[in-house]
Amino acid sequence: MAERTIPDEHHVVRHCPKNRTIRENGVVVGVMPQLFELRLHRNEEYLSSCYYEHFAGTHEERLKQCVDSTTRQIGDRDCMVLMNVGRTKTIASGHGAKVRVVHQYDHPKNPSYSKIKGVPFDPSSAILTLLADEASDKFYVVKDLRGS
């Protein structure tokens, strides 16, 4: 699998299932730290995401293309979280973790597939909460992106 490091000024978009969103009166107001937790029962070694700058177009068009390119089933009540690569790495390094964000440009089903590597396996890690806090104003409801 061919990978290329994504520059710090670029972004990745992570799918956030509705059960990982924080809602008040039915409105999404944030994401849970568990969104950034590796699933040990699946032996995950990285978090999947889409490389935002892989696509051309407006901000909304790029986000929609991230939804469309994801091979997982994404519901209208799910969200997409936009993450700056450099900020993600800074948050992790501030707590002793070395995170790398790479674009797997030869992925057979998703040409924008990217990986966030180096997230701690510890579900109680402060990094997960800090990443969720960072995402508090960078999430987009899929229904709005699809124009449904």
Side-chain angles (χ1 to χ4, degrees):
M1 293 180 231
E3 296 178 343
R4 191 175 304 138
T5 299
I6 297 176
D8 285 356
E9 64 273 13
H10 285 200
H11 304 81
V12 293
V13 177
R14 180 144 169 81
H15 171 232
C16 179
K18 68 181 176 193
N19 67 349
R20 297 281 192 259
T21 60
I22 300 168
R23 295 176 185 264
E24 290 180 5
N25 300 318
V27 176
V28 179
V29 295
V31 300
M32 295 180 182
Q34 291 83 356
L35 174 64
F36 304 101
E37 185 177 307
L38 294 171
R39 296 175 292 187
L40 295 178
H41 67 282
R42 291 192 174 178
N43 296 319
E44 281 186 328
E45 297 178 6
Y46 57 84
L47 300 173
S48 298
S49 56
C50 288
Y51 182 19
Y52 175 82
E53 277 82 6
H54 173 78
F55 298 110
T58 66
H59 176 64
E60 289 79 16
E61 289 168 340
R62 286 178 171 189
L63 288 169
K64 185 175 183 317
Q65 289 175 83
C66 287
V67 171
D68 294 342
S69 70
T70 301
T71 57
R72 309 173 66 165
Q73 186 164 357
I74 298 179
D76 281 349
R77 295 181 61 204
D78 295 348
C79 290
M80 300 302 279
V81 176
L82 182 68
M83 303 170 64
N84 173 266
V85 171
R87 183 71 184 133
T88 300
K89 290 165 52 176
T90 298
I91 288 169
S93 67
H95 286 75
K98 183 176 181 180
V99 166
R100 289 185 57 232
V101 184
V102 298
H103 176 209
Q104 183 184 331
Y105 55 86
D106 66 347
H107 191 279
K109 295 180 182 175
N110 180 354
S112 70
Y113 190 75
S114 58
K115 302 174 183 177
I116 304 168
K117 298 178 168 186
V119 175
F121 282 99
D122 179 4
S124 67
S125 173
I127 295 170
L128 308 182
T129 300
L130 292 169
L131 289 172
D133 289 347
E134 180 70 17
S136 66
D137 63 348
K138 297 169 184 75
F139 58 85
Y140 304 86
V141 178
V142 171
K143 181 179 181 180
D144 296 339
L145 297 172
R146 288 180 172 153
S148 303

